[in-house]
Amino acid sequence: MPGRKLVKKYLANNHIKITDLAKMYGLSKQDATEYISGRKTNPKANQFILKVIRDFKIE
């Protein structure tokens, strides 16, 4: 499963809001939403997704 889908599923299953995730990583809600949705796929977006996967130990 692609990283973005894993993160989306994890957030939904654990009742974590994108707003809260954005605050944790010092991002705007807009950026976090675009990174997770895949609207932005630049290196910064990919690093964010990988960091969330590592930090939350998502498998």
Side-chain angles (χ1 to χ4, degrees):
M1 186 179 288
R4 284 175 171 76
K5 285 189 179 183
L6 285 172
V7 171
K8 275 185 185 178
K9 183 178 175 184
Y10 182 85
L11 295 177
N13 290 344
N14 291 282
H15 310 288
I16 299 171
K17 296 178 185 174
I18 291 178
T19 307
D20 297 332
L21 193 66
K23 285 180 190 174
M24 288 173 60
Y25 289 95
L27 297 172
S28 69
K29 180 183 179 227
Q30 181 73 27
D31 279 340
T33 300
E34 289 180 351
Y35 293 167
I36 292 170
S37 72
R39 281 194 297 268
K40 283 191 179 179
T41 57
N42 57 24
K44 188 175 180 182
N46 294 333
Q47 288 173 351
F48 169 72
I49 295 297
L50 291 173
K51 186 159 177 52
V52 171
I53 289 170
R54 268 194 314 269
D55 291 350
F56 286 92
K57 297 175 178 58
I58 300 171
E59 295 182 5

